[in-house]
Amino acid sequence: MTWWEWWWRWWRRMAIAPGTPLPQRRLFLLPTRFGLVWAVLVLVLLLFGINYQNSLAYGLAFWLFALAVIALLRTWRNLLGVIATLRLPPEVFAGGEARLGVVFSGGRPRSGLEVHVEGAAARLDLPEGQGEASLALPAPRRGVQRLPLLRLESSWPLGLVRALAWLESRESLLVYPRPLDDDAPRHRHAGAGLEASDFAGLRRAEPGDSPARLAWKQWSRTGELAAKAFSVPPRQQLWLDYDACRGDPERRLSILCARVLAHHLAGDRYGLRLPGVTLPQGEGSRQRREALEALARFDPAATARREAP
């Protein structure tokens, strides 16, 4: 094990889990560049006062030192006890960004809290003890993506020191394939289902029926209020097959992803066939979610190894 790997593993062991109050032993204080300059200034003033017996230099040096100690304690208390929880995005497609929500709960007002991860950062204040920051995580590839290590920090109020802590979650993001709309077939886009078209008879009127659907002529003859019933044309029932698509495995999965989205909008009843995986025909939001999850978790390499002689 290299020195860097050992150091990184040690830092990961010092990370806390989401939902855990930040304890004292997991909180670190590091001086900033401004803080180092401040310390040098205090030392220079102290030496000046000793050499020249200047009481003004003594007083200024001790005043700056006391101010630095107070600022250090305030910075330490500003991050101590903070509870951070994660809010995963509902769905993420490859090639886009995952908006990861970090919810802070401080129990009391906090200022200048920051969260950093892989080039993205957010800063927020907690005037009422609670707040939420949003981080944009890149999602370049399909599949299961582990959440990175988050760094919590604060240099409030003077920026002399930086309080640091790390947050590590065992949760992961499930990234769906990037849909290829150009390869998706054209379907009806009639919302959650199909529009009723053929007249099928009369039924007893119910509260909430549209006045245009009520049979007023029937009511004038019989005195009973009825509503017109219409039949709905049958929905398409089909299979989305991996072997029927062309291209490399990722392109096939992207085509199937676009077709799943299109059939869901059209209200069709569809199933999904992947090598080694078969999702029965269904419809609705649950079918859409299960189909996208199957596409995201599909491993073409494992399938090729099983098919190899």
Side-chain angles (χ1 to χ4, degrees), residues 120-133:
R123 187 181 187 276
L124 75 161
D125 298 326
L126 309 181
E128 299 180 357
Q130 293 185 345
E132 182 175 353

Side-chain angles (χ1 to χ4, degrees), residues 209-247:
D209 285 335
S210 172
R213 294 290 183 94
L214 299 179
W216 298 106
K217 293 182 179 180
Q218 178 76 10
W219 174 72
S220 63
R221 291 196 301 267
T222 63
E224 295 182 359
L225 188 60
K228 302 175 184 178
F230 294 86
S231 62
V232 177
R235 301 182 178 185
Q236 292 192 31
Q237 300 188 19
L238 43 87
W239 287 94
L240 307 180
D241 201 329
Y242 176 87
D243 294 331
C245 301
R246 298 180 180 180

